[in-house]
Amino acid sequence: MHRYCSMILNYLKSRGSASADQLIAELGLGEDKVLWALEVLKRDGAIEYKRDAVTDVSLTEEGKSYIDMFPEERLVKSVAEGKVRAVGDVDDKIGLNWAKRNGWITIDGGKLSLTKLGASIEQSGRYALRDTLRDLSAGGDTKRIMLKSSTAFDSLKRRHLIDVHERGTIGTIRITDTGNSINDNVDEISYLDREIIKGRLWEGKRFSEYDVNISYGDIYPARMHPMHEFINMVRETWLSMGFVEGSGPIVNPAFWNFDVLLTPQHHPARDMQDTFFLSDPDTVGTGERSLLKRVKAAHERSFGTDWDVSLAKRALLRTHNTVVSARYIRELGSSSRAKYPIKAFFVGRVFRNESIDYKHRAEFYQSDGIIVGDNLTFSNLIFELREFFGRLLGESVAESIMLRPSYFPFTEPSLEIFYFDKNHKDYIELGGAGIIREEITGALGMNKRVLAWGLGLDRLLFDRMGIYDINEIYRNRVGWLRARKSL
Amino acid sequence: MANIAFRVRDVKRRIELSKFSRLMSEMGFETDIGKDEVNVDITPHRPELLDFDMLMWALEVFDGRAKPSKTDYIPINERLIDIEVSKSVSGIRPFIMGVAAKRVDLSGRKADYLIRFIEKISETYGRKRSRIAIGIHDLSKISGNTLRYEALSESSFVPLDSEYSMSFDDIIRRHQKGIEYGGLVPSGKYPVLRDSDKIMAFIPIVNSDATKVSSGTDSLFIDVTGTDAVGVRNVTEIMNCVLRHMGADVYKVGVHVGKRSTTSPSGVWRRLSLKESRISSILGIEDLGSTAVHVRRCGYVASSSKGILTVYIPPYRTDIIGSMDIIEDVAIGYGYNRIKPVPVSGHFVGIPERSVPLYERVTRLFIGIGFTEAMNNYLTDEESQFHNMGRADNGKSVRVEYAKTSSISILRQSLIPMLMQNLSDSMNEPMPQRLFEYGKVFVRVPGSVYERDSLAFVAVHSKANFGEAKSVFDVIAREMGLDLAVVRYEDPAFIKGRCAGISDNGKIIGVFGEIHPTVLNRFKIDEPVIAGEIYLE
């Protein structure tokens, strides 16, 4: 046994347990050596300890500036003193915003007035957020503060007034029965080594014994990311159904993302609120002039409004994978060598301009597909979708599939597809599908019928893995990746 | 998608709740039934269903309990109101139409539902009133029967629910509706609807209090204005149908622009015919049966003979443009969940994308040397990509114009910062930790964006050093058969002298080494880290 290990073991034999700090202080070995020896002893089952997480909290610059008074407290005071009467009088919009959210003031026709709650706050001067901030700044016991004022704590975190950082520490270290029974005895062998094996020095000696029931340290296999695994399952399902795989660029002009798919230029989805438009570059090329002309004509025919080419050139991050389908249809339409029917699928990331929280992400995966050919029907579309989900999710889920009529600017007829989730006792949406409108395929130079669909993958994965916070999977915390469920 | 709520009580009076949910789903609308309220999601092409009576009617027809007729929406052939349109509105908000109604029952919740419907449709279909806005007035409070629609440079009146008169400039600046919708009218060119002695409405901002509608009102004038002529006409036709389903008598309104005159509403059902063979070829349903029976469930008057289906389209169906729309309604009437799936015939072979085998090989290789795969967001910010890494912003990031989330401003150019953040979030986990990512990165090139794949790895533990990074690089290059050279390199993210550049025929396509402690401090990582990244074409 290594010298450091036996030093620690002997120390623990007399005391039963100790903290890592005690060992470091008393044995004079240095933190690195102690930590190393502890890992070896744990691996051998001679000691046990738990890992704790310690939370360090520090105030941000903004947080520090609020210790005396929060901007919303300042605002309420100004209103009470009559210094501020209307929205136009307010300089600090942050204070105004929070005072309103807290229900301390009301705004009517631009005029500000204190509510009962706001008045009582102003008089008492007691504000939970400020008290908690002061507690943390004074260096109080973080865990206790977190538990006692969890709402205030979360608020401070969300407003970026505090930085929260978790650190790992080692909890109390205890010697096990195995540890107690280890004797640095000349007659008892702890570790086999070359010398003992070649010289047959083990003859006549005993081997110290291991407790077969305890854990000797966790092994973490390196793994594929679960979304990569899931995407492979999806891809293999489509490939097994005879689909060819394709892909396309993430950055597209609005032309391919919206105009080609006959989404009107003043449709709300084209709003900054839902789409990530780029400022640099702010436009990207749209391609062939002849295609532009045909799409322009289709818009003017369908909507009776002017079509502005500068809006079509705006660069954005694709909001759906249907862009890739559209480009693929165009390639087929302009090629004379394709043999029909053709089945193709595309898996890729898409982007929506969302406020990120536990239920919403700004980027997620979709699996889109098309079938192109003569005489394809709505019942063909339904077959391929039911078949896909049957293979991917299993027969019992497939039996619960429900179709519902829907509306998309680029398909008619359209449908949405759901399955019944037994845990949530609710229908969960799998995706949308339909027959691409002839105005669109016509403009793309395609004279055959196109069946198309787009399916969301993240939701399926989360439900499968039982995940609550949909951002967890992309936070890539090593502990989470190590322990995550298999698919 | 537009969402509107009705009281459970009101719905239950017309239809049983479980049937309501089922039929709504079969028609294509999501519902959420709460204790007091029912929330419905109406798709954008059916704005008329945001009205309670129209929705109930649609359900009753779908259920076979009600039968539409082509005379349902014919207005009484008498003009109660004429509107003269001045040239002054032509550049601002040119289009106006209206309907007038008597024997209107607004008792109980009906006034509330009607006003909520008008506001909801102006917000959604009307694109926050910019495209269409609707005004509702008590007809008995209108003086005379000729109205004038014109733009004024300034005026004043008592806005709805106010006590005091306000000038229009003031309304724009300080009234709630003025603040909200003031951007729709140019300063000093305020569209106004007036009768013989007063201003009725400041369009599309707010009505006058003088023509206010209350639950005692029994006759109405409704004006529909907007910048889209077709949209204004559609909404006018819908308002006609809504009033008819409320049981009111609807009269005509004339609109006069110079020498041209039109009257509204028409209440007319358009006719469309299509071949049954085309319906079959699109839907592919073997035992389709009578297409007329199916499509009638969706509100049409329909008949079928000699292989031709003829439908009359109700005036509130402003979304029906061609035969495909009818075919969709045949399928809806038939029942989507009844449709028998039919496989596509042909011989097909699945072929994966060209880049996939490389991705899978790299993944297996890294897992084989103990690195777990990470998948990070593509969207990030300059602080992570440059500042925390100690690197200068090279100005080549693809930039997002506006994001709701403040930590998003650019697309990632490099993977290492993302992996560093992953390690930072994992500090309380046992060491060693090893992660890799193989994914897309983005860089600005003149006039466009260059999307390419990058491969990066990091390892953190007390003994992490340059040697490990070099060994990892060596194994990648060997297993992937890459002919690359290694040169001394300087990168502010790495410790000087412990950093190597990966060179492909003289061009630097990657870097690896020991991360500089300043960078570790910024990411709040307390152990040494080695990292590497290679851009793959």
Side-chain angles (χ1 to χ4, degrees):
Chain A
M1 174 178 290
H2 196 283
R3 187 168 73 86
Y4 305 157
C5 297
S6 44
M7 280 170 76
I8 292 177
L9 213 53
N10 287 331
Y11 184 91
L12 289 173
K13 270 183 187 173
S14 49
R15 286 172 188 70
S17 69
S19 74
D21 289 336
Q22 266 177 289
L23 293 172
I24 294 168
E26 307 264 323
L27 299 179
L29 284 176
E31 187 179 356
D32 260 7
K33 296 190 169 97
V34 167
L35 290 179
W36 174 83
L38 286 173
E39 273 181 55
V40 173
L41 285 168
K42 185 169 192 213
R43 192 193 65 209
D44 292 346
I47 58 172
E48 54 188 13
Y49 58 80
K50 285 211 174 59
R51 292 195 156 265
D52 276 341
V54 161
T55 311
D56 288 331
V57 176
S58 60
L59 271 63
T60 63
E61 283 309 307
E62 194 186 348
K64 284 182 195 155
S65 70
Y66 290 179
I67 293 246
D68 283 331
M69 218 185 212
F70 272 63
E72 55 268 32
E73 291 180 286
R74 221 170 296 234
L75 177 82
V76 152
K77 190 155 177 284
S78 303
V79 174
E81 288 170 3
K83 292 195 189 136
V84 159
R85 271 185 245 270
V87 172
D89 300 336
V90 179
D91 288 321
D92 182 2
K93 293 288 187 253
I94 296 179
L96 178 67
N97 191 28
W98 283 102
K100 185 149 186 279
R101 281 168 80 155
N102 289 348
W104 293 353
I105 56 165
T106 53
I107 306 182
D108 185 22
K111 291 208 203 322
L112 299 175
S113 43
L114 284 187
T115 59
K116 269 204 202 119
L117 179 62
S120 81
I121 293 279
E122 199 272 327
Q123 286 193 343
S124 69
R126 300 244 29 235
Y127 188 23
L129 274 195
R130 181 167 39 82
D131 292 341
T132 309
L133 190 67
R134 285 191 184 165
D135 277 347
L136 290 168
S137 146
D141 174 357
T142 314
K143 273 230 159 61
R144 184 187 59 80
I145 299 174
M146 264 174 75
L147 284 170
K148 193 181 94 167
S149 351
S150 59
T151 327
F153 193 88
D154 284 336
S155 240
L156 291 172
K157 223 169 109 175
R158 259 182 283 117
R159 284 174 71 169
H160 295 297
L161 301 175
I162 54 174
D163 270 333
V164 180
H165 185 57
E166 294 218 334
R167 248 188 322 119
T169 58
I170 294 180
T172 311
I173 301 158
R174 267 174 249 284
I175 190 168
T176 62
D177 290 339
T178 303
N180 264 317
S181 72
I182 290 179
N183 285 309
D184 233 354
N185 195 334
V186 221
D187 278 347
E188 196 173 81
I189 301 177
S190 303
Y191 296 112
L192 267 186
D193 60 32
R194 299 194 74 181
E195 219 186 299
I196 298 176
I197 295 168
K198 288 184 86 165
R200 305 180 78 94
L201 301 176
W202 48 268
E203 283 174 344
K205 298 217 172 78
R206 276 188 329 133
F207 285 93
S208 53
E209 296 185 352
Y210 280 86
D211 181 340
V212 301
N213 285 308
I214 60 172
S215 158
Y216 288 93
D218 296 315
I219 295 183
Y220 304 109
R223 313 168 74 165
M224 204 185 268
H225 191 274
M227 184 43 104
H228 181 177
E229 240 183 85
F230 189 61
I231 288 176
N232 276 355
M233 287 168 67
V234 168
R235 291 181 53 249
E236 273 148 30
T237 308
W238 288 120
L239 290 170
S240 75
M241 288 168 64
F243 280 75
V244 168
E245 187 174 16
S247 67
I250 297 228
V251 174
N252 281 276
F255 181 70
W256 280 107
N257 199 78
F258 292 123
D259 295 279
V260 156
L261 297 169
L262 275 195
T263 305
Q265 290 197 320
H266 296 287
H267 195 277
R270 296 179 78 141
D271 212 322
M272 278 211 294
Q273 295 298 318
D274 294 322
T275 303
F276 283 115
F277 284 99
L278 300 181
S279 59
D280 194 12
D282 61 342
T283 61
V284 283
T286 53
E288 328 143 55
R289 261 182 201 279
S290 57
L291 179 58
L292 256 138
K293 274 165 86 173
R294 287 205 296 276
V295 169
K296 175 174 148 93
H299 269 255
E300 286 169 353
R301 246 192 329 257
S302 298
F303 308 122
T305 50
D306 286 331
W307 189 73
D308 184 352
V309 69
S310 65
L311 288 179
K313 288 193 164 146
R314 293 279 281 115
L316 50 77
L317 302 181
R318 67 186 182 202
T319 62
H320 47 192
N321 251 355
T322 320
V323 188
V324 187
S325 299
R327 285 181 181 272
Y328 203 84
I329 295 168
R330 172 72 195 133
E331 264 182 60
L332 290 174
S334 57
S335 137
S336 51
R337 280 180 301 138
K339 287 220 181 90
Y340 295 97
I342 287 178
K343 292 159 71 161
F345 79 98
F346 324 99
V347 178
R349 233 181 255 209
V350 302
F351 302 80
R352 299 276 167 89
N353 197 348
E354 295 268 17
S355 264
I356 295 177
D357 64 28
Y358 75 96
K359 266 202 324 191
H360 300 98
R361 274 183 62 69
E363 37 190 297
F364 44 96
Y365 277 94
Q366 284 185 344
S367 165
D368 275 55
I370 53 173
I371 308 180
V372 187
D374 295 308
N375 305 319
L376 295 172
T377 66
F378 203 51
S379 55
N380 289 147
L381 176 63
I382 292 173
F383 176 87
E384 300 288 323
L385 290 173
R386 283 185 182 270
E387 181 71 18
F388 169 77
F389 285 114
R391 293 188 191 207
L392 182 72
L393 303 175
E395 275 312 308
S396 64
V397 172
E399 269 158 28
S400 77
I401 279 180
M402 186 259 288
L403 305 173
R404 186 202 280 170
S406 186
Y407 171 79
F408 305 108
F410 33 87
T411 51
E412 183 116 61
S414 311
L415 65 84
E416 270 173 342
I417 180 164
F418 301 79
Y419 76 100
F420 190 73
D421 179 61
K422 293 200 196 97
N423 294 328
H424 293 100
K425 293 214 191 351
D426 199 9
Y427 278 100
I428 310 288
E429 189 181 333
L430 291 165
I435 301 182
I436 301 275
R437 289 181 191 268
E438 281 166 2
E439 299 94 316
I440 295 173
T441 49
L444 291 171
M446 166 58 66
N447 58 8
K448 308 215 176 287
R449 200 165 292 159
V450 179
L451 309 177
W453 55 87
L455 316 168
L457 296 183
D458 293 60
R459 180 72 197 263
L460 269 179
L461 178 64
F462 305 140
D463 286 345
R464 215 183 170 99
M465 294 184 75
I467 296 173
Y468 170 68
D469 176 350
I470 70 175
N471 289 289
E472 188 66 60
I473 209 178
Y474 299 99
R475 258 184 96 184
N476 301 300
R477 284 193 298 182
V478 173
W480 187 88
L481 288 172
R482 280 173 175 162
R484 61 108 175 152
K485 268 169 70 173
S486 286
L487 290 183
Chain B
M1 198 67 81
N3 183 281
I4 196 161
F6 302 117
R7 291 193 317 175
V8 167
R9 234 179 302 170
D10 297 325
V11 173
K12 270 164 107 159
R13 250 182 251 137
R14 300 281 290 261
I15 184 171
E16 194 212 359
L17 277 186
S18 61
K19 202 179 210 195
F20 172 74
S21 290
R22 184 175 50 85
L23 293 179
M24 285 293 277
S25 183
E26 282 175 33
M27 283 169 53
F29 305 106
E30 191 167 329
T31 55
D32 183 17
I33 302 190
K35 205 166 60 99
D36 300 312
E37 281 196 334
V38 162
N39 263 293
V40 300
D41 269 333
I42 302 293
T43 43
H45 68 320
R46 300 295 301 272
E48 80 282 4
L49 295 178
L50 293 166
D51 176 71
F52 181 74
D53 291 305
M54 296 295 296
L55 181 63
M56 292 298 123
W57 170 252
L59 284 164
E60 281 159 13
V61 170
F62 196 72
D63 198 24
R65 285 190 289 128
K67 199 164 165 241
S69 137
K70 283 186 282 176
T71 54
D72 284 343
Y73 307 113
I74 308 282
I76 294 173
N77 195 10
E78 187 191 325
R79 283 201 327 264
L80 287 188
I81 296 280
D82 281 288
I83 307 176
E84 277 168 18
V85 180
S86 145
K87 270 203 277 258
S88 56
V89 293
S90 61
I92 308 164
R93 198 174 181 86
F95 308 107
I96 185 168
M97 279 182 159
V99 294
K102 290 188 181 170
R103 293 199 320 129
V104 183
D105 176 13
L106 290 176
S107 62
R109 303 274 302 191
K110 300 196 187 66
D112 182 52
Y113 272 171
L114 181 62
I115 290 173
R116 273 207 292 141
F117 168 63
I118 285 174
E119 285 186 353
K120 184 61 82 161
I121 205 178
S122 305
E123 280 299 301
T124 56
Y125 189 79
R127 307 273 194 270
K128 295 195 177 55
R129 298 193 190 180
S130 63
R131 187 180 166 207
I132 315 279
I134 307 172
I136 176 172
H137 309 265
D138 185 326
L139 183 63
S140 67
K141 296 183 184 157
I142 296 180
S143 309
N145 42 28
T146 303
L147 306 180
R148 196 160 161 73
Y149 178 47
E150 61 187 351
L152 300 179
S153 58
E154 176 56 6
S155 193
S156 63
F157 72 167
V158 178
L160 192 65
D161 293 329
S162 286
E163 285 168 26
Y164 309 107
S165 173
M166 284 175 83
S167 74
F168 285 1
D169 286 337
D170 241 358
I171 289 175
I172 297 279
R173 257 204 316 268
R174 292 182 19 223
H175 190 279
Q176 196 204 347
K177 298 289 179 198
I179 295 173
E180 222 177 318
Y181 301 108
L184 298 174
V185 294
S187 173
K189 290 207 187 114
Y190 302 131
V192 139
L193 185 66
R194 53 180 358 165
D195 64 16
S196 60
D197 63 20
K198 63 184 175 296
I199 292 175
M200 288 166 58
F202 175 9
I203 288 180
I205 313 289
V206 66
N207 277 0
S208 161
D209 198 60
T211 55
K212 179 173 170 172
V213 165
S214 63
S215 50
T217 302
D218 65 1
S219 63
L220 290 175
F221 166 69
I222 294 180
D223 70 82
V224 181
T225 61
T227 51
D228 170 4
V230 170
V232 166
R233 185 159 13 98
N234 286 345
V235 171
T236 307
E237 293 296 327
I238 288 173
M239 291 314 303
N240 172 32
C241 300
V242 165
L243 288 164
R244 294 288 298 133
H245 281 290
M246 286 171 74
D249 293 332
V250 178
Y251 292 77
K252 292 187 179 175
V253 167
V255 173
H256 312 280
V257 186
K259 293 209 175 76
R260 283 190 353 258
S261 296
T262 50
T263 54
S264 56
S266 73
V268 148
W269 295 54
R270 285 177 292 148
R271 192 181 78 165
L272 207 105
S273 294
L274 53 160
K275 292 206 183 110
E276 306 246 355
S277 58
R278 177 154 164 78
I279 302 175
S280 290
S281 91
I282 299 280
L283 296 181
I285 301 173
E286 216 184 286
D287 58 346
L288 186 52
S290 164
T291 55
V293 163
H294 303 316
V295 91
R296 274 184 213 127
R297 294 184 76 196
C298 296
Y300 301 87
V301 167
S303 63
S304 157
S305 109
K306 299 203 183 108
I308 307 249
L309 171 70
T310 302
V311 295
Y312 289 88
I313 305 164
Y316 56 75
R317 287 303 298 270
T318 55
D319 60 304
I320 306 294
I321 303 174
S323 56
M324 268 307 192
D325 302 293
I326 308 296
I327 293 175
E328 183 179 60
D329 280 336
V330 170
I332 293 176
Y334 178 83
Y336 272 22
N337 290 295
R338 273 178 67 198
I339 298 178
K340 221 174 94 173
V342 174
V344 175
S345 49
H347 173 69
F348 305 101
V349 176
I351 305 174
E353 246 243 304
R354 265 170 319 161
S355 59
V356 168
L358 180 62
Y359 180 29
E360 296 303 317
R361 256 172 66 205
V362 167
T363 301
R364 274 199 298 276
L365 170 64
F366 269 90
I367 290 175
I369 56 175
F371 284 74
T372 287
E373 184 181 15
M375 279 176 87
N376 277 289
N377 292 334
Y378 291 1
L379 287 165
T380 180
D381 58 16
E382 289 92 331
E383 193 181 332
S384 289
Q385 283 278 294
F386 302 110
H387 178 253
N388 287 354
M389 294 295 293
R391 288 168 166 167
D393 190 334
N394 63 2
K396 291 198 191 145
S397 302
V398 176
R399 188 170 297 277
V400 157
E401 184 179 50
Y402 161 73
K404 278 184 187 157
T405 304
S406 58
S407 55
I408 287 178
S409 57
I410 56 173
L411 282 174
R412 67 194 188 185
Q413 269 192 60
S414 162
L415 293 178
I416 293 180
M418 322 290 309
L419 295 173
M420 293 293 287
Q421 188 58 48
N422 299 149
L423 293 182
S424 175
D425 288 334
S426 313
M427 268 291 106
N428 61 335
E429 291 295 324
M431 303 281 158
Q433 297 174 0
R434 297 190 166 91
L435 294 176
F436 81 96
E437 180 165 0
Y438 180 154
K440 287 196 193 300
V441 294
F442 305 83
V443 75
R444 182 97 171 71
V445 293
S448 184
V449 171
Y450 184 33
E451 298 180 23
R452 65 178 160 184
D453 290 330
S454 175
L455 167 64
F457 60 91
V458 292
V460 61
H461 57 96
S462 58
K463 302 258 184 306
N465 68 8
F466 179 82
E468 180 175 347
K470 175 75 172 25
S471 301
V472 173
F473 166 75
D474 283 341
V475 89
I476 299 172
R478 186 180 71 231
E479 293 294 317
M480 287 169 57
L482 298 172
D483 182 21
L484 298 168
V486 172
V487 297
R488 289 193 84 90
Y489 192 65
E490 274 182 39
D491 178 326
F494 295 87
I495 297 173
K496 189 164 164 203
R498 298 187 184 187
C499 175
I502 303 167
S503 158
D504 179 16
N505 274 330
K507 190 168 140 215
I508 298 288
I509 58 156
V511 65
F512 62 84
E514 279 185 43
I515 296 286
H516 198 285
T518 324
V519 176
L520 298 181
N521 287 151
R522 286 205 195 101
F523 278 100
K524 298 202 181 66
I525 295 173
D526 304 328
E527 302 275 358
V529 172
I530 54 105
E533 182 160 9
I534 310 178
Y535 296 117
L536 299 167
E537 303 299 315

